Amino acid sequence: MSLRIFLLEDDPDISRLVQYHLEAAGYTVQPYASATDVVPEAEKRRPALFLLDIMVPGGDGLDVCRRLRQNPALSTVPIIFLTARATESDRVHGLELGADDYITKPFSPRELVARVKAVLRRFERPEVPENIVFGDIQIDGGAMQLRVKGELVTTTATEFRLLDYLARHPGRVFSRDQLLDAAWGDARFVTPRSVDVYVRRIREKIEEDPESPRYLKTMRGAGYRFERAERMTESQANTPVAQ
């Protein structure tokens, strides 16, 4: 079965253009001209990716993105904004809401298809996922789920990918550029400073005191490091203690 993409675009010519090229690339495209039905329909049939215009009837793409990121069942589905709003502040706002890429109009259909493929490839699950435990934190690579003190915490796909990457390399210092390559690959709308936005968001979800982090440390002038203390795999966590 081909992967399903939800397209929110109110311009019929652009919608048909996008649908034609993505379907020619092997995807199934479900177009929407209004923001009203996107989230309810996604809850019934979870797509592989959302392509969202910002200025549309029935709300806007930013609000749809916000609602998707707050929905536990849909929070990890990648989102690409496809919009004429091209200022740096628009891009930063899209990133802060949880977008995974940002394509501005006018665009090349070939580039659009390439970017869609890149984002979907970036969020393929690892063949041998590891369940990692750090103190009160459990990172389930197979289910792409984060639990803190046993409670499920909603994350975006990019947040989870970045946290998972850091946790798999405890004690190692990564520069912003290295983390950018690991979590975003060839996404063009993000910058090394984008990593700071995501680190802040991750800290708010895993740290008791985000201002004085226990796990995700800042290394001044170098980048970030995930603290090695208390790391164990799922098998170690479940091993009975000898009496």
Side-chain angles (χ1 to χ4, degrees), residues 8-10 51-56 60-61 81-84 105:
L8 175 60
E9 172 59 66
D10 65 322
L51 266 175
L52 305 178
D53 191 7
I54 291 180
M55 296 175 286
V56 292
D60 61 50
F81 279 120
L82 183 63
T83 176
K105 301 174 183 177

Side-chain angles (χ1 to χ4, degrees), residues 23 50 57 98 101 117 131 133 144 183 204 208 217 228 238:
E23 290 184 345
F50 293 96
D101 205 346
K117 288 181 177 179
N131 195 353
V133 177
M144 289 187 68
E204 290 172 353
E208 289 189 9
K217 305 281 190 179
R228 183 180 294 271
N238 294 330

Side-chain angles (χ1 to χ4, degrees), residues 184-220:
W184 284 272
D186 60 356
R188 302 181 187 181
F189 84 108
V190 292
T191 68
R193 287 293 174 181
S194 304
V195 175
D196 299 338
V197 174
Y198 272 82
V199 165
R200 184 179 72 246
R201 290 167 57 140
I202 291 170
R203 282 175 172 162
E204 290 172 353
K205 295 182 178 184
I206 69 171
E207 303 282 0
E208 289 189 9
D209 182 1
E211 300 300 320
S212 182
R214 174 185 180 189
Y215 298 107
L216 188 43
K217 305 281 190 179
T218 299
M219 309 305 294
R220 285 193 185 278

